[in-house]
Amino acid sequence: MAETTVAQWSYKGFDHAGKNVKGIVDAPSESNALQLLRSRGVTPTEVVAKAEGTGLNREIHIEFLERGPKLKDLAIMTRQLATMVGAGVSILRALSIVESQTDNRKLKQTLVEVTAMVEGGQAFSDALEEFPLVIPPIMVHLIRAGEAGGFLDRSLLMVADNFEAETKLRSKVKAALTYPIVVLFVALGAVALMLIFIVPVFEKMFADLGSSLPAPTQLLVNLSHAMPIVLPILAVLGVAFAIWWGRNKNTLAVRRFLDPIKLRVPVFGKLNSKIALTRFSRNFATMLASGVPILQSLAIVGSTAGNQVISDALEGVQEQVRQGRRIGESLASEPVFPEMLVQMVGIGEESGAIDNMLEKAAAFYDDEVETMSSQLTAMLEPLMIVFMGALLGFMIVALYMPMFMMFQAIQNM
Protein backbone atom coordinates (compact mmCIF):
# COMPACT_ATOMS: atom_id res chain seq x y z
CA MET A 1 0.00 0.00 0.00
CA ALA A 2 1.29 3.46 -0.87
CA GLU A 3 1.74 5.62 2.20
CA THR A 4 -0.80 8.45 2.51
CA THR A 5 0.67 11.85 3.37
CA VAL A 6 -1.15 13.42 6.29
CA ALA A 7 -1.14 17.23 6.45
CA GLN A 8 -2.36 19.72 9.03
CA TRP A 9 -5.29 22.02 8.23
CA SER A 10 -6.26 25.17 10.11
CA TYR A 11 -10.00 25.69 10.27
CA LYS A 12 -12.62 28.15 11.46
CA GLY A 13 -16.34 27.48 11.81
CA PHE A 14 -19.11 26.96 14.33
CA ASP A 15 -20.44 23.99 16.25
CA HIS A 16 -24.01 22.66 16.57
CA ALA A 17 -24.72 25.27 19.27
CA GLY A 18 -23.68 28.11 16.97
CA LYS A 19 -20.47 28.83 18.90
CA ASN A 20 -17.43 29.93 16.88
CA VAL A 21 -14.62 27.38 16.93
CA LYS A 22 -11.18 27.14 15.38
CA GLY A 23 -8.26 24.75 15.50
CA ILE A 24 -6.07 22.32 13.59
CA VAL A 25 -7.01 18.95 12.16
CA ASP A 26 -4.86 16.20 10.57
CA ALA A 27 -6.14 14.84 7.25
CA PRO A 28 -4.72 13.59 3.93
CA SER A 29 -6.58 16.23 1.88
CA GLU A 30 -8.85 19.27 2.17
CA SER A 31 -11.94 17.19 1.34
CA ASN A 32 -11.02 14.67 4.06
CA ALA A 33 -10.52 17.55 6.50
CA LEU A 34 -14.00 18.90 5.67
CA GLN A 35 -15.59 15.46 6.13
CA LEU A 36 -13.70 14.96 9.41
CA LEU A 37 -14.89 18.31 10.77
CA ARG A 38 -18.50 17.65 9.77
CA SER A 39 -18.37 14.24 11.48
CA ARG A 40 -17.33 16.08 14.65
CA GLY A 41 -20.33 18.37 14.43
CA VAL A 42 -18.36 21.38 13.16
CA THR A 43 -19.61 23.46 10.21
CA PRO A 44 -16.39 24.85 8.68
CA THR A 45 -16.30 28.32 7.16
CA GLU A 46 -12.59 28.25 6.33
CA VAL A 47 -10.11 25.41 5.89
CA VAL A 48 -6.53 26.16 4.80
CA ALA A 49 -3.35 24.12 4.78
CA LYS A 50 -1.20 24.94 7.81
CA ALA A 51 2.22 26.22 6.74
CA GLU A 52 5.23 24.46 8.22
CA GLY A 53 7.24 26.46 10.68
CA THR A 54 10.79 27.52 10.03
CA GLY A 55 13.88 27.56 12.20
CA LEU A 56 13.10 26.93 15.87
CA ASN A 57 9.36 27.03 15.18
CA ARG A 58 9.49 24.05 12.84
CA GLU A 59 8.22 20.77 14.25
CA ILE A 60 10.78 18.04 13.67
CA HIS A 61 9.74 14.42 13.27
CA ILE A 62 12.39 11.70 12.95
CA GLU A 63 10.53 8.62 11.73
CA PHE A 64 12.65 5.88 13.32
CA LEU A 65 12.73 7.69 16.68
CA GLU A 66 8.96 8.13 16.91
CA ARG A 67 7.43 5.86 19.51
CA GLY A 68 4.71 3.54 18.32
CA PRO A 69 1.53 3.08 20.34
CA LYS A 70 1.66 0.94 23.46
CA LEU A 71 -0.94 -1.71 24.19
CA LYS A 72 -2.36 0.67 26.80
CA ASP A 73 -2.93 3.29 24.06
CA LEU A 74 -4.69 0.70 21.89
CA ALA A 75 -6.78 -0.51 24.84
CA ILE A 76 -7.98 3.03 25.60
CA MET A 77 -8.73 3.66 21.94
CA THR A 78 -10.75 0.47 21.45
CA ARG A 79 -12.68 0.95 24.71
CA GLN A 80 -13.64 4.48 23.62
CA LEU A 81 -14.71 3.17 20.22
CA ALA A 82 -16.72 0.38 21.83
CA THR A 83 -18.54 2.84 24.11
CA MET A 84 -19.45 5.18 21.26
CA VAL A 85 -20.42 2.44 18.78
CA GLY A 86 -22.55 0.78 21.47
CA ALA A 87 -24.29 4.14 22.06
CA GLY A 88 -25.23 4.37 18.38
CA VAL A 89 -22.48 6.71 17.17
CA SER A 90 -21.36 5.95 13.62
CA ILE A 91 -17.93 4.38 13.27
CA LEU A 92 -16.73 7.37 11.20
CA ARG A 93 -17.65 9.89 13.86
CA ALA A 94 -16.29 7.64 16.61
CA LEU A 95 -12.96 7.35 14.77
CA SER A 96 -12.69 11.12 14.31
CA ILE A 97 -13.42 11.74 18.00
CA VAL A 98 -10.88 9.16 19.15
CA GLU A 99 -8.28 10.53 16.73
CA SER A 100 -8.67 14.02 18.18
CA GLN A 101 -8.02 12.65 21.70
CA THR A 102 -5.02 10.47 20.81
CA ASP A 103 -1.58 11.75 21.85
CA ASN A 104 0.62 9.17 20.13
CA ARG A 105 1.58 10.58 16.72
CA LYS A 106 1.83 7.26 14.89
CA LEU A 107 -1.54 6.10 16.17
CA LYS A 108 -3.10 9.47 15.37
CA GLN A 109 -1.79 9.35 11.80
CA THR A 110 -3.01 5.77 11.44
CA LEU A 111 -6.51 6.73 12.62
CA VAL A 112 -6.60 9.64 10.16
CA GLU A 113 -5.72 7.33 7.27
CA VAL A 114 -8.11 4.60 8.47
CA THR A 115 -10.91 7.18 8.68
CA ALA A 116 -10.21 8.30 5.12
CA MET A 117 -10.25 4.69 3.90
CA VAL A 118 -13.52 3.93 5.71
CA GLU A 119 -15.04 7.08 4.20
CA GLY A 120 -14.00 5.71 0.82
CA GLY A 121 -16.08 2.57 1.39
CA GLN A 122 -13.49 0.17 2.84
CA ALA A 123 -14.41 -2.03 5.80
CA PHE A 124 -13.02 -0.92 9.15
CA SER A 125 -11.10 -4.18 9.71
CA ASP A 126 -9.66 -4.13 6.17
CA ALA A 127 -8.44 -0.56 6.70
CA LEU A 128 -6.78 -1.52 10.00
CA GLU A 129 -5.10 -4.50 8.32
CA GLU A 130 -3.13 -2.08 6.13
CA PHE A 131 -1.09 -0.97 9.19
CA PRO A 132 0.49 -4.15 10.64
CA LEU A 133 3.27 -2.22 12.40
CA VAL A 134 0.71 -0.26 14.45
CA ILE A 135 -2.36 -2.52 14.69
CA PRO A 136 -1.82 -6.10 16.03
CA PRO A 137 -3.35 -8.89 13.91
CA ILE A 138 -5.53 -10.15 16.77
CA MET A 139 -7.29 -6.77 16.85
CA VAL A 140 -7.95 -6.88 13.11
CA HIS A 141 -9.49 -10.36 13.19
CA LEU A 142 -11.63 -9.72 16.27
CA ILE A 143 -13.04 -6.56 14.70
CA ARG A 144 -13.63 -8.42 11.44
CA ALA A 145 -15.57 -11.09 13.32
CA GLY A 146 -17.61 -8.36 15.04
CA GLU A 147 -18.41 -6.71 11.71
CA ALA A 148 -19.52 -10.02 10.20
CA GLY A 149 -21.64 -10.99 13.21
CA GLY A 150 -23.14 -7.57 13.88
CA PHE A 151 -21.56 -7.15 17.33
CA LEU A 152 -18.75 -4.68 16.62
CA ASP A 153 -19.11 -2.98 20.03
CA ARG A 154 -18.68 -6.30 21.87
CA SER A 155 -15.68 -7.29 19.77
CA LEU A 156 -14.07 -3.91 20.49
CA LEU A 157 -14.64 -4.50 24.21
CA MET A 158 -12.99 -7.91 23.89
CA VAL A 159 -9.98 -6.28 22.22
CA ALA A 160 -9.76 -3.70 25.02
CA ASP A 161 -10.05 -6.38 27.74
CA ASN A 162 -7.39 -8.48 26.02
CA PHE A 163 -4.94 -5.59 25.68
CA GLU A 164 -5.52 -4.46 29.28
CA ALA A 165 -4.86 -7.98 30.56
CA GLU A 166 -1.67 -8.16 28.48
CA THR A 167 -0.58 -4.76 29.85
CA LYS A 168 -1.05 -6.00 33.43
CA LEU A 169 0.92 -9.15 32.60
CA ARG A 170 3.83 -7.13 31.26
CA SER A 171 3.72 -4.83 34.29
CA LYS A 172 4.08 -7.83 36.63
CA VAL A 173 7.13 -9.08 34.76
CA LYS A 174 8.72 -5.63 34.63
CA ALA A 175 8.14 -5.16 38.35
CA ALA A 176 9.94 -8.45 39.03
CA LEU A 177 12.95 -7.61 36.86
CA THR A 178 13.38 -3.87 37.46
CA TYR A 179 15.02 -4.10 40.88
CA PRO A 180 17.74 -6.68 40.06
CA ILE A 181 18.57 -4.91 36.78
CA VAL A 182 18.90 -1.53 38.52
CA VAL A 183 21.07 -3.02 41.28
CA LEU A 184 23.27 -4.76 38.70
CA PHE A 185 23.88 -1.53 36.77
CA VAL A 186 24.53 0.39 39.99
CA ALA A 187 27.10 -2.22 41.04
CA LEU A 188 28.84 -2.18 37.66
CA GLY A 189 28.83 1.63 37.64
CA ALA A 190 30.34 1.74 41.12
CA VAL A 191 33.07 -0.71 40.08
CA ALA A 192 33.86 1.32 36.95
CA LEU A 193 34.13 4.56 38.97
CA MET A 194 36.44 2.93 41.51
CA LEU A 195 38.66 1.54 38.76
CA ILE A 196 38.87 4.90 36.99
CA PHE A 197 39.24 7.32 39.92
CA ILE A 198 40.18 5.48 43.13
CA VAL A 199 42.52 2.66 42.06
CA PRO A 200 45.02 5.05 40.34
CA VAL A 201 45.37 6.99 43.62
CA PHE A 202 46.20 3.80 45.51
CA GLU A 203 48.50 2.66 42.69
CA LYS A 204 50.62 5.78 43.07
CA MET A 205 50.81 5.20 46.80
CA PHE A 206 51.75 1.55 46.28
CA ALA A 207 54.53 2.55 43.87
CA ASP A 208 56.14 4.61 46.63
CA LEU A 209 56.26 1.52 48.83
CA GLY A 210 58.52 -0.20 46.33
CA SER A 211 57.25 -3.72 47.03
CA SER A 212 55.41 -6.18 44.80
CA LEU A 213 51.62 -6.11 44.92
CA PRO A 214 49.40 -9.03 45.95
CA ALA A 215 47.57 -10.79 43.10
CA PRO A 216 44.10 -9.26 43.83
CA THR A 217 45.57 -5.75 43.99
CA GLN A 218 47.57 -6.27 40.80
CA LEU A 219 44.38 -7.45 39.08
CA LEU A 220 42.63 -4.21 40.01
CA VAL A 221 45.60 -2.15 38.80
CA ASN A 222 45.63 -3.99 35.47
CA LEU A 223 41.88 -3.47 35.07
CA SER A 224 42.30 0.22 35.88
CA HIS A 225 44.91 0.56 33.12
CA ALA A 226 42.58 -1.18 30.66
CA MET A 227 39.49 0.91 31.45
CA PRO A 228 40.33 3.89 29.13
CA ILE A 229 40.50 1.42 26.24
CA VAL A 230 37.83 -1.05 27.27
CA LEU A 231 35.06 1.44 28.13
CA PRO A 232 34.91 3.15 24.68
CA ILE A 233 35.00 -0.26 22.98
CA LEU A 234 32.19 -1.54 25.20
CA ALA A 235 30.17 1.63 24.54
CA VAL A 236 30.54 1.26 20.76
CA LEU A 237 29.73 -2.44 20.91
CA GLY A 238 26.71 -1.72 23.14
CA VAL A 239 25.30 0.87 20.73
CA ALA A 240 25.97 -1.41 17.73
CA PHE A 241 24.29 -4.35 19.47
CA ALA A 242 21.29 -2.19 20.45
CA ILE A 243 20.83 -1.10 16.82
CA TRP A 244 21.24 -4.67 15.54
CA TRP A 245 18.90 -6.03 18.21
CA GLY A 246 16.22 -3.46 17.40
CA ARG A 247 16.28 -4.51 13.75
CA ASN A 248 16.66 -8.28 14.17
CA LYS A 249 15.07 -9.28 17.48
CA ASN A 250 11.84 -10.36 15.77
CA THR A 251 13.44 -12.21 12.85
CA LEU A 252 12.70 -15.92 12.62
CA ALA A 253 16.36 -16.98 12.91
CA VAL A 254 16.94 -15.00 16.11
CA ARG A 255 13.69 -16.12 17.72
CA ARG A 256 14.29 -19.77 16.90
CA PHE A 257 17.71 -19.52 18.54
CA LEU A 258 16.76 -17.53 21.65
CA ASP A 259 13.19 -18.63 22.45
CA PRO A 260 14.07 -22.27 23.30
CA ILE A 261 16.79 -20.91 25.62
CA LYS A 262 14.23 -18.64 27.31
CA LEU A 263 12.18 -21.70 28.25
CA ARG A 264 15.17 -23.69 29.57
CA VAL A 265 17.10 -21.06 31.53
CA PRO A 266 16.97 -21.71 35.32
CA VAL A 267 14.22 -19.91 37.27
CA PHE A 268 13.31 -17.56 34.43
CA GLY A 269 12.48 -20.46 32.09
CA LYS A 270 9.36 -21.43 34.06
CA LEU A 271 8.29 -17.79 34.23
CA ASN A 272 8.69 -17.34 30.47
CA SER A 273 6.74 -20.55 29.88
CA LYS A 274 3.85 -19.40 32.09
CA ILE A 275 3.77 -16.01 30.33
CA ALA A 276 3.59 -17.63 26.89
CA LEU A 277 0.85 -20.05 28.03
CA THR A 278 -1.13 -17.15 29.54
CA ARG A 279 -1.03 -15.27 26.26
CA PHE A 280 -1.96 -18.34 24.24
CA SER A 281 -4.91 -19.27 26.46
CA ARG A 282 -6.29 -15.73 26.71
CA ASN A 283 -5.93 -14.88 23.03
CA PHE A 284 -7.33 -18.25 21.90
CA ALA A 285 -10.33 -17.84 24.23
CA THR A 286 -10.97 -14.30 22.97
CA MET A 287 -10.79 -15.37 19.33
CA LEU A 288 -13.17 -18.31 19.81
CA ALA A 289 -15.61 -16.22 21.87
CA SER A 290 -15.72 -13.69 19.02
CA GLY A 291 -16.67 -16.35 16.50
CA VAL A 292 -13.35 -16.55 14.65
CA PRO A 293 -12.93 -20.03 13.08
CA ILE A 294 -10.70 -22.44 15.00
CA LEU A 295 -8.05 -22.88 12.29
CA GLN A 296 -7.81 -19.14 11.76
CA SER A 297 -7.62 -18.59 15.52
CA LEU A 298 -4.78 -21.10 15.87
CA ALA A 299 -2.85 -19.35 13.10
CA ILE A 300 -3.23 -15.97 14.82
CA VAL A 301 -2.56 -16.94 18.46
CA GLY A 302 0.70 -18.58 17.49
CA SER A 303 2.14 -15.20 16.52
CA THR A 304 0.84 -13.54 19.70
CA ALA A 305 2.23 -16.04 22.25
CA GLY A 306 5.58 -14.28 22.25
CA ASN A 307 7.64 -17.46 21.92
CA GLN A 308 8.63 -19.19 18.70
CA VAL A 309 8.58 -22.65 20.32
CA ILE A 310 4.85 -22.33 21.00
CA SER A 311 4.30 -20.74 17.60
CA ASP A 312 5.97 -23.71 15.86
CA ALA A 313 4.03 -26.16 18.04
CA LEU A 314 0.74 -24.49 17.10
CA GLU A 315 1.54 -24.94 13.43
CA GLY A 316 1.61 -28.66 14.07
CA VAL A 317 -1.61 -28.45 16.10
CA GLN A 318 -3.27 -26.50 13.31
CA GLU A 319 -2.31 -29.15 10.76
CA GLN A 320 -3.67 -31.96 12.96
CA VAL A 321 -6.96 -30.11 13.53
CA ARG A 322 -7.22 -29.57 9.79
CA GLN A 323 -6.95 -33.35 9.37
CA GLY A 324 -9.88 -33.89 11.74
CA ARG A 325 -8.27 -34.43 15.14
CA ARG A 326 -9.66 -32.71 18.23
CA ILE A 327 -7.85 -29.70 19.66
CA GLY A 328 -7.09 -31.38 22.99
CA GLU A 329 -5.55 -34.42 21.30
CA SER A 330 -3.52 -32.18 18.99
CA LEU A 331 -2.19 -30.11 21.89
CA ALA A 332 -1.26 -33.31 23.76
CA SER A 333 1.07 -34.29 20.92
CA GLU A 334 3.19 -31.20 21.55
CA PRO A 335 5.32 -31.44 24.75
CA VAL A 336 5.38 -27.66 25.24
CA PHE A 337 1.73 -27.69 26.37
CA PRO A 338 1.28 -28.96 29.96
CA GLU A 339 -1.14 -31.75 30.84
CA MET A 340 -3.47 -29.45 32.80
CA LEU A 341 -4.03 -27.17 29.80
CA VAL A 342 -4.58 -30.16 27.51
CA GLN A 343 -7.17 -31.63 29.89
CA MET A 344 -9.00 -28.32 30.29
CA VAL A 345 -9.20 -27.87 26.53
CA GLY A 346 -10.46 -31.46 26.15
CA ILE A 347 -13.16 -30.89 28.78
CA GLY A 348 -14.12 -27.64 27.05
CA GLU A 349 -14.53 -29.45 23.73
CA GLU A 350 -16.74 -32.09 25.31
CA SER A 351 -18.95 -29.52 27.07
CA GLY A 352 -19.05 -27.06 24.17
CA ALA A 353 -17.48 -24.30 26.29
CA ILE A 354 -13.87 -24.37 25.17
CA ASP A 355 -13.57 -20.58 25.34
CA ASN A 356 -14.66 -20.57 29.00
CA MET A 357 -12.15 -23.28 29.89
CA LEU A 358 -9.39 -21.39 28.11
CA GLU A 359 -10.30 -18.24 30.04
CA LYS A 360 -10.01 -20.21 33.30
CA ALA A 361 -6.65 -21.60 32.16
CA ALA A 362 -5.49 -18.06 31.33
CA ALA A 363 -6.58 -16.85 34.78
CA PHE A 364 -4.73 -19.76 36.43
CA TYR A 365 -1.49 -19.11 34.55
CA ASP A 366 -1.86 -15.38 35.16
CA ASP A 367 -2.00 -16.06 38.91
CA GLU A 368 1.02 -18.33 38.52
CA VAL A 369 2.94 -15.54 36.80
CA GLU A 370 2.05 -13.11 39.58
CA THR A 371 3.12 -15.60 42.27
CA MET A 372 6.38 -16.46 40.51
CA SER A 373 7.13 -12.78 39.91
CA SER A 374 6.68 -12.03 43.61
CA GLN A 375 8.84 -15.00 44.60
CA LEU A 376 11.47 -14.00 42.04
CA THR A 377 11.60 -10.45 43.40
CA ALA A 378 11.85 -11.71 46.99
CA MET A 379 14.66 -14.10 46.01
CA LEU A 380 16.66 -11.75 43.79
CA GLU A 381 16.69 -8.77 46.16
CA PRO A 382 18.92 -10.39 48.82
CA LEU A 383 21.01 -12.14 46.17
CA MET A 384 21.74 -8.86 44.39
CA ILE A 385 22.58 -7.15 47.69
CA VAL A 386 24.99 -9.98 48.55
CA PHE A 387 26.49 -9.81 45.04
CA MET A 388 26.97 -6.05 45.23
CA GLY A 389 28.44 -6.25 48.74
CA ALA A 390 30.82 -9.07 47.78
CA LEU A 391 32.01 -7.23 44.65
CA LEU A 392 32.68 -3.93 46.40
CA GLY A 393 34.06 -5.75 49.45
CA PHE A 394 36.57 -7.60 47.27
CA MET A 395 37.77 -4.31 45.75
CA ILE A 396 38.17 -2.64 49.15
CA VAL A 397 40.08 -5.57 50.61
CA ALA A 398 42.29 -5.79 47.50
CA LEU A 399 43.13 -2.08 47.75
CA TYR A 400 44.05 -2.21 51.43
CA MET A 401 45.84 -5.57 51.31
CA PRO A 402 49.30 -4.05 50.56
CA MET A 403 48.92 -1.79 53.59
CA PHE A 404 48.06 -4.73 55.82
CA MET A 405 51.11 -6.60 54.49
CA MET A 406 53.32 -3.56 55.13
CA PHE A 407 52.06 -3.17 58.71
CA GLN A 408 52.65 -6.88 59.33
CA ALA A 409 56.20 -6.61 57.96
CA ILE A 410 56.91 -3.65 60.26
CA GLN A 411 55.62 -5.54 63.28
CA ASN A 412 57.84 -8.52 62.45
CA MET A 413 60.97 -6.37 62.28
Side-chain angles (χ1 to χ4, degrees):
M1 174 191 168
E3 185 177 353
T4 306
T5 303
V6 178
Q8 291 188 321
W9 304 84
S10 299
Y11 69 88
K12 294 180 181 178
F14 52 89
D15 58 17
H16 62 277
K19 182 180 178 181
N20 290 329
V21 293
K22 62 180 180 179
I24 298 172
V25 66
D26 294 329
S29 65
E30 183 178 355
S31 60
N32 289 126
L34 290 170
Q35 291 175 346
L36 197 57
L37 290 169
R38 293 191 184 103
S39 67
R40 295 179 183 177
V42 175
T43 302
T45 57
E46 179 184 342
V47 176
V48 294
K50 184 176 181 294
E52 289 190 2
T54 58
L56 295 176
N57 293 323
R58 182 167 185 167
E59 189 176 3
I60 299 175
H61 299 291
I62 304 176
E63 185 68 23
F64 72 91
L65 292 180
E66 288 186 353
R67 180 180 62 86
K70 297 180 179 179
L71 278 180
K72 184 177 180 180
D73 300 325
L74 295 173
I76 293 172
M77 178 197 76
T78 49
R79 191 165 293 281
Q80 289 174 335
L81 285 174
T83 301
M84 286 185 281
V85 171
V89 179
S90 68
I91 186 63
L92 276 176
R93 183 159 189 180
L95 283 170
S96 66
I97 294 172
V98 171
E99 178 270 323
S100 66
Q101 298 176 353
T102 300
D103 294 326
N104 184 271
R105 180 174 173 80
K106 281 192 175 181
L107 183 57
K108 179 184 282 288
Q109 181 171 338
T110 299
L111 289 174
V112 169
E113 297 185 31
V114 166
T115 302
M117 295 164 71
V118 173
E119 285 176 341
Q122 198 165 351
F124 181 33
S125 57
D126 292 339
L128 291 174
E129 196 172 19
E130 300 288 347
F131 304 93
L133 298 180
V134 179
I135 307 298
I138 187 172
M139 178 176 173
V140 174
H141 287 84
L142 288 176
I143 290 175
R144 180 170 290 147
E147 288 176 323
F151 51 92
L152 180 59
D153 55 336
R154 284 196 290 117
S155 65
L156 285 167
L157 282 175
M158 289 180 181
V159 173
D161 291 339
N162 185 280
F163 287 169
E164 287 170 357
E166 177 65 17
T167 300
K168 290 179 182 178
L169 179 65
R170 293 184 180 184
S171 298
K172 294 173 187 175
V173 178
K174 287 181 180 178
L177 298 180
T178 298
Y179 179 82
I181 291 175
V182 170
V183 172
L184 178 62
F185 276 97
V186 168
L188 294 177
V191 170
L193 290 174
M194 291 183 69
L195 290 173
I196 294 172
F197 297 106
I198 298 178
V199 173
V201 176
F202 279 82
E203 181 187 5
K204 185 178 180 180
M205 184 174 60
F206 298 151
D208 295 336
L209 298 176
S211 59
S212 60
L213 298 176
T217 310
Q218 188 62 52
L219 174 63
L220 290 184
V221 171
N222 294 339
L223 289 175
S224 178
H225 291 165
M227 288 304 286
I229 300 173
V230 172
L231 276 183
I233 294 176
L234 289 177
V236 172
L237 290 176
V239 171
F241 177 77
I243 295 174
W244 178 87
W245 179 252
R247 294 178 178 177
N248 297 278
K249 64 181 179 180
N250 293 322
T251 59
L252 190 60
V254 172
R255 291 189 62 188
R256 282 197 167 147
F257 175 76
L258 287 180
D259 286 357
I261 298 176
K262 289 180 181 178
L263 298 182
R264 291 195 299 265
V265 67
V267 182
F268 291 98
K270 288 185 178 180
L271 180 61
N272 288 325
S273 177
K274 302 289 185 185
I275 292 170
L277 292 172
T278 302
R279 288 172 175 159
F280 161 72
S281 303
R282 180 185 298 117
N283 293 338
F284 197 18
T286 305
M287 299 289 285
L288 294 178
S290 297
V292 180
I294 290 178
L295 288 176
Q296 191 175 359
S297 298
L298 287 170
I300 296 167
V301 296
S303 63
T304 62
N307 192 284
Q308 191 61 38
V309 175
I310 289 184
S311 181
D312 291 342
L314 286 174
E315 289 183 6
V317 171
Q318 185 181 4
E319 182 59 32
Q320 294 181 54
V321 172
R322 185 180 287 110
Q323 295 173 1
R325 294 189 68 182
R326 303 182 69 175
I327 302 175
E329 296 175 354
S330 303
L331 290 174
S333 66
E334 299 290 343
V336 71
F337 298 108
E339 182 66 21
M340 189 202 78
L341 178 61
V342 172
Q343 293 298 327
M344 292 185 72
V345 170
I347 294 171
E349 284 184 290
E350 294 174 1
S351 62
I354 185 172
D355 54 332
N356 290 332
M357 296 302 292
L358 283 167
E359 286 177 2
K360 292 179 180 179
F364 170 79
Y365 287 123
D366 197 35
D367 291 339
E368 288 278 293
V369 169
E370 185 171 3
T371 301
M372 291 188 68
S373 299
S374 301
Q375 293 174 346
L376 192 62
T377 303
M379 179 181 66
L380 287 177
E381 284 184 9
L383 288 178
M384 293 304 297
I385 292 174
V386 170
F387 167 75
M388 189 172 180
L391 186 61
L392 296 179
F394 166 78
M395 295 188 68
I396 293 172
V397 170
L399 289 175
Y400 283 95
M401 189 177 291
M403 295 183 184
F404 297 150
M405 294 176 64
M406 182 185 67
F407 293 150
Q408 186 176 5
I410 293 174
Q411 290 176 353
N412 293 334
M413 290 178 63

